[in-house]
Amino acid sequence: MTEPAIRPRRSALYLPASNPRAIEKARTLACDTVILDREDAVAPEAKADARALAVEAVKVGGFGPRE
């Protein structure tokens, strides 16, 4: 079994998945990884919406080669 190639990451962008504007902006930023936080950065009453927004953002795509 071969080992996967190591891919260095310079930056990871964490953002609340409850913020559609931040998700849209993340598609344009030069980061290596985008992390849509659905828990810690989201108010308790917004968690269900944040989960739905995160799923929709991944379906729509547009993040380029980012993880």
Side-chain angles (χ1 to χ4, degrees):
M1 182 165 134
T2 61
E3 301 253 347
I6 294 174
R7 187 174 142 220
R9 289 155 189 89
R10 298 166 296 135
S11 59
L13 175 63
Y14 288 78
L15 58 111
S18 60
N19 186 335
R21 186 171 164 212
I23 293 171
E24 191 59 37
K25 183 165 184 168
R27 291 182 169 102
T28 68
L29 298 175
C31 57
D32 296 315
T33 304
V34 174
I35 299 158
L36 302 174
D37 188 344
R38 304 170 330 270
E39 297 297 330
D40 295 333
V42 177
E45 63 276 3
K47 290 188 188 295
D49 288 338
R51 290 181 193 113
L53 284 169
V55 168
E56 184 62 24
V58 172
K59 285 181 181 177
V60 169
F63 294 99
R66 294 171 200 84
E67 292 180 309

